[in-house]
Amino acid sequence: MRKLFMLLAGLLVVSFVLSACVAPAAPAPAAPAEAPAVEEPAEEDAAPVEEAEKRVLIVAQGEGVESWDPPAGWDSASEWIEMNVYDCLVYPDRDTGEMVGWLAESWEALSDTLWQINLREGVKFHNGDDFTAEDAKYSIDRILNGSKEEFIVYDQWSFVKEARIIDDYTLEIETTKPDPAFLSELSGTGCGVVSKDYVEEVGNDGLANFGIGTGPFKVVDYDRESFVRLAANEDWWGGKPEIDELIFRVIPEPSTRVAELLSGGVNLTTGVLPQDWERIEADPNLKVQQFLTDRVYGLTIAHEPPPGVDAVATSNPDIRAAIDYAVDRQELIDLAGGFGVPTLTRLTPPIPCNDAVDPPLYNVNPYDPEKAKEYLEKAGYPDVEGGPEIVLHGTFGQYIAQKEIAETIAAMLEEVGFEVKLDIREFSTFRETVYQGNNEELMLQSLGNFTTDPWLYILNYDSRFGERIPTRGRFSNPEIDELAAQANTAMDPDERCSILNEFAHTVAEFRPTIELFQMSDALGMSSNIEWIPPADGNLMMVNVGYND
């Protein structure tokens, strides 16, 4: 019955795409609040690109930019836009994934807790300000001296004890503990370096409304609800991008994004559903680029009820086990196009230590509906008429088949005896409500990793980490917390991998979340674009090329 349901759903989606009207072009923007003048090159130095030769890349995605302040936001869609404007001190190479210097030319570990960062000279912010160690220190200090309310990454940056200026282009960073993940953490969310003078002039609100960075693209204008227009930074330290103008259009519905791609309204679109691949590739001017991401689809589980709710069924470990065995991960992968890997862990390739997990938790599908029913009976069901009632929250528009996956999971759970209330919300509403501490029992979400180190994987299960994780899953496990502390300070790589083996199995048994599969994604794009998306999916377009 479920297979038939999904087939009919797919036919309805295709029918909708064929009948959808093409969205109008982005409206003329209103000037952003207090938008500063961006310094233009002197007339004699300018080399304007002829209009006919200008490379314009128009990207469609489900959401726009939430804030231009790097540490203030967490959602991927906003970060993908924002990181075209900013540089971090270090960052994973866009082609290889290796950790490389960006605003830092080199670095040296002076001890287990002290690092010297040698900065790049001659770099300017988009408004003409010179970049120095003062800006690098200020960008870190404003997070450390801020609060959780100001900066969502406040807890994430607690690895830094102090940043000290040695000279204009040398910075020392002292960590709070021996830190094997230092360089990877330094490239974490919120790492974009801001101009001290600019932020002190316009304040945090001014920065949130108009970003000034040192990155490969400059903000020209934008509307949070509909578009962002960026121009190439011809003086970028890494060399001028091949794209002259980069435009992001906000189109929440995947089928409408595809319609715009087919009509020529955009050059690249995210989250293309499998039923649209053939239509796109039938056009000789278009192609589908599929890739395995570093993201894992999973069910975040409420271990305690949210405010105003007396109890949740998922606080019972047998209920959590029943959910785990009820879900056929391979069917979900097939729904997303057949390209993905079932997993019981977020410690997936190519993250270091993923191959130390023994017995393996990756490429494992424990689907067993009879065992799921046994766990329900052990938990006191089906003696209770109708089975346990649970709420499953989901969203759509950002990644492949989000809504369809949530609907299929609900059907799987109902087949073994659950009563499921399915709550699907548009992504911005989902993020502002369910995602911010209002997960009633189950929340389907896709979480990314850092491929250069397991630190973000560890962080997501350490209940002592600020307040971010408890607000979503509301769990605590002293054994997991202790193993997290050991893994976060073990400087010997082999010892650290051994700890992470135990950590991964403890997490999988406790089920603070139920991981489902390492996800693929698919982009539709013009065939003359040369670009292989990185595993993090970040739409940082500095390495885009053309074959015509």
Side-chain angles (χ1 to χ4, degrees), residues 88-90 104 106-119 133 136-141 144 157-166 170-177 179 182-183 185-187 191 193:
C88 300
L89 296 178
V90 297
S106 61
W107 49 86
E108 180 184 359
L110 304 179
S111 72
D112 284 352
T113 58
L114 186 63
W115 293 76
Q116 178 175 300
I117 310 296
N118 305 308
L119 303 176
K137 172 178 166 60
Y138 177 77
S139 298
I140 296 172
D141 284 352
L144 299 183
W157 281 78
S158 62
F159 71 96
V160 176
K161 180 179 180 180
E162 184 182 5
R164 296 186 286 269
I165 296 173
I166 305 304
T170 310
L171 188 72
E172 277 188 358
I173 299 179
E174 184 178 355
T175 60
T176 54
K177 57 179 176 54
D179 194 345
F182 172 75
L183 290 175
E185 290 172 321
L186 200 61
S187 70
C191 65
V193 174

Side-chain angles (χ1 to χ4, degrees), residues 162-327:
E162 184 182 5
R164 296 186 286 269
I165 296 173
I166 305 304
D167 58 42
D168 281 351
Y169 295 99
T170 310
L171 188 72
E172 277 188 358
I173 299 179
E174 184 178 355
T175 60
T176 54
K177 57 179 176 54
D179 194 345
F182 172 75
L183 290 175
S184 188
E185 290 172 321
L186 200 61
S187 70
T189 305
C191 65
V193 174
V194 300
S195 163
K196 178 176 184 289
D197 289 345
Y198 173 66
V199 180
E200 289 184 341
E201 176 187 349
V202 304
N204 288 351
D205 289 343
L207 178 63
N209 284 329
F210 200 91
I212 293 289
T214 61
F217 294 93
K218 305 176 182 182
V219 180
V220 177
D221 51 21
Y222 74 98
D223 178 89
R224 278 188 172 88
E225 300 301 321
S226 58
F227 78 99
V228 170
R229 182 176 287 109
L230 308 176
N233 178 7
E234 299 196 10
D235 298 320
W236 189 52
W237 57 266
K240 178 186 174 298
E242 287 197 41
I243 302 167
D244 298 300
E245 188 171 78
L246 176 59
I247 298 171
F248 288 89
R249 289 187 56 192
V250 181
I251 305 176
E253 178 57 53
S255 59
T256 308
R257 295 199 295 265
V258 170
E260 280 289 84
L261 179 70
L262 292 168
S263 70
V266 302
N267 311 112
L268 187 152
T269 182
T270 61
V272 179
L273 296 172
Q275 59 260 34
D276 291 319
W277 295 351
E278 186 175 344
R279 289 200 307 139
I280 292 172
E281 296 202 314
D283 186 327
N285 297 314
L286 300 174
K287 62 184 176 182
V288 174
Q289 180 75 56
Q290 195 172 13
F291 63 103
L292 192 64
T293 74
D294 66 359
R295 306 186 71 84
V296 172
Y297 259 128
L299 293 168
T300 295
I301 300 178
H303 286 231
E304 294 180 4
V309 176
D310 293 334
V312 289
T314 45
S315 63
N316 186 322
D318 292 323
I319 294 291
R320 300 198 296 271
I323 294 168
D324 202 352
Y325 286 109
V327 177

Side-chain angles (χ1 to χ4, degrees), residues 497-513:
C497 285
S498 177
I499 296 168
L500 281 168
N501 174 38
E502 185 177 356
F503 180 88
H505 282 98
T506 304
V507 166
E509 183 178 353
F510 182 64
R511 297 183 179 90
T513 60

